[in-house]
Amino acid sequence: MTKTKIWLSSPHIGLGERGYVQHAFDTNWIAPLGPNVDFFEESIENYLGDGVHVAALSSGTAAIHLGLKLLGVGAGDEVICQSFTFSASANPIVYLGATPIFVDSEETTWNISPELLEEAIIDRMEKGKKPKAIIAVHLYGMPYQVNTVEEIASKYDIPVLEDSAEALGSEYKNNKCGSFGDLAILSFNGNKIITTSGGGALVSRNVNHKNKAVYLSTQARDEAPHYLHSSIGYNYRMSNVLAGIGRGQMEVLSDRVDARRANFTYYKRALSQLPEIEFLDEPTGFFSNRWLTCILTPSFEIREKIRLALLADEVESRPLWKPMHEQPVFKDTPSFLDGTSSSLFERGLCLPSGSNLEIEDLDRVISIILTTISK
Ligand SMILES: *Cc1c(COP(=O)(O)O)cnc(C)c1O
């Protein structure tokens, strides 16, 4: 008998999306502009609050690329980036001909370590290279130490690009993630908390940033009856069809956050009595969307035993992100490390966390883990 597969994080479509996509067809707005794009941007602006402006783009990666460009990053520059993240946080630094400088994580949030961040800034400045930007990431939905990172960034006058790809719906001191950095980015990839199948957004309190992002993402066309260009452009705008999915998804975002957080609570209740399993708690003032529920085991061997037992039962799980400083492609990159992210990678596992999982699915995952640990 084959069991149904349990996925790590699969798309979860609500009731409204089809109608908005149908509307794009009915009105022939099958284009990278149109009313769905405008309404989608507006709904994100209203949700994030704080007077932000949003440009809907083709991916979170594209948003980081344009964001770094707007912050003036160019060839030969250095950009500090949290090492413990997905490669898409760092790749756009290289697209621009700049060099990443990786910084390790701290244990209370698993995100960028403020101490090592400051150490990295001082070291690079002593070498005559002031970093052009800092990319900090709310990994798995847990906010980074927003205030401390902001204090360090403003002390040295370096802008922060807030990678909130995994953290739509998360909050820090009652403010929404995606509204903190000099610029922030969101992702609507298929595995994220809400999706447009593929998509992203750039967020800023500065309307000029939005206008510039829209301009650059639509091939940098200047005002003229013919095609006129004074800058190099990109084809990075979100399509009006996909924005229709996004409009529907924004209507169910808070349900999705509740469901992901309920998954975490359910797993934690069932598994935290095991001395072998640890969970990352929210520090005071931190609210995580719990995009993925992650567990920490005592060793690589135990983590692998659990992962393979789940796999044998058609359950998808995944080790935590392999830090960028350990990636072959970034092997010679300057890094400021204390071993935290390497240890998290070795011992940590992401459990199935979709908002569409049933209690039976969670129970199946839990029972495999309980059996594996007691063996
Ligand atoms: C998903 C993700 C991105 C990139 O988003 P895409 O929309 O897939 O390009 C960037 N950073 C982090 C941390 C992510 O998880």
Side-chain angles (χ1 to χ4, degrees):
M1 190 188 86
T2 54
K3 296 212 170 137
T4 51
K5 173 118 185 164
I6 298 180
W7 299 98
L8 190 68
S9 179
S10 73
H12 186 183
I13 295 302
L15 299 173
E17 291 83 342
R18 216 180 269 267
Y20 294 121
V21 172
Q22 184 66 45
H23 186 259
F25 277 80
D26 292 345
T27 54
N28 205 28
W29 280 109
I30 312 294
L33 84 176
N36 280 340
V37 173
D38 298 335
F39 281 118
F40 183 44
E41 289 177 341
E42 199 181 301
S43 68
I44 303 169
E45 286 165 358
N46 291 337
Y47 179 79
L48 294 177
D50 206 22
V52 299
H53 304 276
V54 170
L57 301 172
S58 55
S59 71
T61 312
I64 296 173
H65 190 185
L66 289 188
L68 291 174
K69 220 180 145 53
L70 292 180
L71 295 176
V73 175
D77 289 335
E78 291 187 349
V79 174
I80 290 181
C81 182
Q82 182 168 319
S83 184
F84 194 42
T85 187
F86 178 45
S87 63
S89 302
N91 286 339
I93 302 169
V94 181
Y95 302 167
L96 289 161
T99 307
I101 306 291
F102 292 123
V103 171
D104 215 329
S105 288
E106 48 100 25
E107 280 179 3
T108 53
T109 65
W110 298 359
N111 294 313
I112 195 162
S113 154
E115 287 76 29
L116 291 172
L117 169 62
E118 185 157 24
E119 198 181 297
I121 294 171
I122 292 170
D123 176 85
R124 301 324 287 179
M125 285 174 64
E126 279 170 5
K127 293 191 166 64
K129 275 239 143 147
K130 182 170 161 181
K132 264 299 189 50
I134 298 162
I135 301 177
V137 188
H138 308 297
L139 214 59
Y140 302 117
M142 180 65 77
Y144 57 80
Q145 303 275 4
V146 174
N147 283 163
T148 320
V149 168
E150 272 174 5
E151 278 161 25
I152 295 168
S154 66
K155 177 169 167 192
Y156 296 95
D157 195 23
I158 303 172
V160 175
L161 192 150
E162 177 193 356
D163 182 342
S164 194
E166 302 178 2
L168 185 58
S170 297
E171 294 173 17
Y172 174 81
K173 297 190 176 169
N174 296 319
N175 290 306
K176 299 267 193 273
C177 288
S179 68
F180 300 122
D182 293 85
L183 285 171
I185 72 99
L186 302 170
S187 168
F188 307 108
N189 193 25
N191 61 350
K192 297 287 160 47
I193 189 146
I194 61 165
T195 184
T196 57
S197 79
L202 190 70
V203 186
S204 174
R205 280 176 296 272
N206 180 345
V207 72
N208 294 327
H209 280 150
K210 172 181 175 164
N211 295 338
K212 192 90 195 279
V214 170
Y215 166 77
L216 289 175
S217 68
T218 50
Q219 308 286 21
R221 277 175 277 173
D222 298 328
E223 248 3 291
H226 51 277
Y227 280 111
L228 179 69
H229 306 279
S230 56
S231 313
I232 297 294
Y234 302 83
N235 186 1
Y236 277 175
R237 193 74 163 127
M238 179 177 281
S239 102
N240 192 59
V241 178
L242 300 190
I245 305 176
R247 281 180 78 181
Q249 288 273 279
M250 280 306 288
E251 292 170 359
V252 293
L253 173 58
S254 65
D255 293 342
R256 301 302 183 250
V257 174
D258 292 348
R260 298 242 178 194
R261 285 179 61 84
N263 288 341
F264 177 90
T265 307
Y266 197 82
Y267 280 129
K268 188 174 174 194
R269 193 165 297 150
L271 294 172
S272 64
Q273 87 265 12
L274 296 169
E276 291 89 348
I277 308 277
E278 277 178 69
F279 291 81
L280 182 65
D281 288 323
E282 291 162 323
T284 310
F286 289 65
F287 178 91
S288 170
N289 66 9
R290 297 292 186 189
W291 172 55
L292 297 184
T293 292
C294 307
I295 55 170
L296 270 192
T297 69
S299 67
F300 173 78
E301 289 70 28
I302 295 176
R303 186 261 265 168
E304 277 303 275
K305 218 165 97 176
I306 296 172
R307 188 181 68 81
L308 293 170
L310 292 169
L311 187 65
D313 205 68
E314 294 288 308
V315 176
E316 185 185 28
S317 67
R318 186 160 305 142
L320 302 191
W321 299 118
K322 185 179 174 75
M324 291 305 108
H325 71 270
E326 290 188 25
Q327 299 289 352
V329 70
F330 290 124
K331 70 177 167 16
D332 297 322
T333 307
S335 302
F336 293 79
L337 308 171
D338 66 4
T340 302
S341 62
S342 296
S343 165
L344 291 170
F345 167 61
E346 282 195 1
R347 301 188 292 126
L349 192 67
C350 307
L351 300 180
S353 301
S355 48
N356 46 7
L357 291 174
E358 307 284 346
I359 290 292
E360 297 78 61
D361 299 325
L362 300 180
D363 285 337
R364 195 168 122 205
V365 175
I366 288 163
S367 104
I368 296 166
I369 296 175
L370 290 173
T371 318
T372 312
I373 292 279
S374 63
K375 262 199 260 190

